Amino acid sequence: MPLSFLIPLCTALATGYFFKNSTDEIAYIAGVFAAISFILSLVLAPWQIQFGLLIIVLIITKRLLQENESKQTEDTRKQSREIN
């Protein structure tokens, strides 16, 4: 498994740390560079890591959708009780 994706990932983490701790305008440039480096590291990552991240994202998205749906049903129940 090639580990070349770790170079832009480490760069993204370092510039992200710089972005978090700086208040100058250069911090915005560092933030953009960190985002680009992070995306590049995801593109260069092996398919096993990409597949694992995809599964994690799908599970988290499903949970968030279920929580949002349950909140919406509770809100509609409260509104219908207030109307009656």
Side-chain angles (χ1 to χ4, degrees):
M1 180 183 321
L3 299 177
S4 60
F5 75 97
L6 291 176
I7 295 169
L9 182 62
C10 291
T11 305
L13 293 174
T15 54
Y17 177 78
F18 180 71
F19 173 73
K20 183 90 171 162
N21 292 329
S22 181
T23 58
D24 299 336
E25 291 180 9
I26 195 75
Y28 296 114
I29 296 171
V32 170
F33 188 71
I36 291 170
S37 296
F38 185 69
I39 292 169
L40 181 63
S41 69
L42 288 177
V43 169
L44 294 175
W47 70 269
Q48 296 93 344
I49 294 174
Q50 290 178 350
F51 184 70
L53 288 173
L54 177 66
I55 297 299
I56 291 169
V57 167
L58 290 176
I59 291 170
I60 290 172
T61 304
K62 185 177 179 181
R63 284 186 185 169
L64 289 174
L65 287 173
Q66 287 176 348
E67 288 176 10
N68 190 21
E69 186 176 296
S70 67
K71 286 181 183 178
Q72 285 179 350
T73 56
E74 288 177 10
D75 289 343
T76 56
R77 287 180 187 167
K78 286 180 183 178
Q79 287 177 353
S80 65
R81 288 180 188 167
E82 291 174 357
I83 293 172
N84 293 333

